[in-house]
Amino acid sequence: AADTAHVNVLNESFGGNPIPDTSQDLLKAANDAAIAQGVTVTTSTGDAGVTNTIGSPATDPAVIAVGASTTFQAYLQSSYHGADLPGIKGWVNNNISSLSSAGYSSTGRSVDLVAPGDINFAPCSTDLDTYPECTTFAGGSDGIEEAGGTSESAPIVAGVAALAIQAYRAGHHG
């Protein structure tokens, strides 16, 4: 992507937990080579929850490691987990999602940024014969599905990075 397409931003939504977690990890080596060419790399931290650490390639200090935030909007809309209890009004903002990997890597690396990524909605086909995973709990399809995770958060940050690069280039003539 860096050598052939000359991209400005790479987004990655995969990872693992190599032992030892060193710079010799192939994912880190590839990312570091892209970053050396001026590419911004965003990576999801993983969905292992707040009591689990982030994994590679998010442990690379040269990348932007992205976790997930939530407003609990879907919980309130669906009364999931009793979210419609008396006294709760409106959406709750600026919360780290409980599914988002957190903590520290073996080298002390942690999450850089968070973006929406918990219990949101995404388009889903109403053609259940072709896309049976779009079936709702009631057995039908309403064209949306519940979605989320740090794999949703990282591309949001990648998009913001791309917009920032574009604005900088426009304002500085290249």
Side-chain angles (χ1 to χ4, degrees), residues 53-94:
T53 190
I54 61 175
S56 176
T59 55
D60 185 343
V63 305
I64 300 172
V66 184
S69 66
T70 184
T71 63
F72 297 111
Q73 180 174 351
Y75 295 124
L76 290 168
Q77 288 175 318
S78 65
S79 300
Y80 192 63
H81 290 299
D84 63 345
L85 295 172
I88 296 178
K89 297 192 180 356
W91 315 133
V92 182
N93 290 313
N94 302 321

Side-chain angles (χ1 to χ4, degrees), residues 34-133:
I35 291 165
Q37 293 182 43
V39 176
T40 298
V41 179
T42 61
T43 65
S44 58
T45 59
D47 297 343
V50 295
T51 59
N52 207 328
T53 190
I54 61 175
S56 176
T59 55
D60 185 343
V63 305
I64 300 172
V66 184
S69 66
T70 184
T71 63
F72 297 111
Q73 180 174 351
Y75 295 124
L76 290 168
Q77 288 175 318
S78 65
S79 300
Y80 192 63
H81 290 299
D84 63 345
L85 295 172
I88 296 178
K89 297 192 180 356
W91 315 133
V92 182
N93 290 313
N94 302 321
N95 287 280
I96 302 300
S97 168
S98 62
L99 64 78
S100 184
S101 291
Y104 296 93
S105 71
S106 60
T107 59
R109 178 91 163 106
S110 190
V111 177
D112 291 313
L113 297 171
V114 295
D118 182 21
I119 311 300
N120 296 300
F121 298 102
C124 203
S125 177
T126 56
D127 178 2
L128 297 180
D129 292 331
T130 305
Y131 302 100
E133 64 274 11

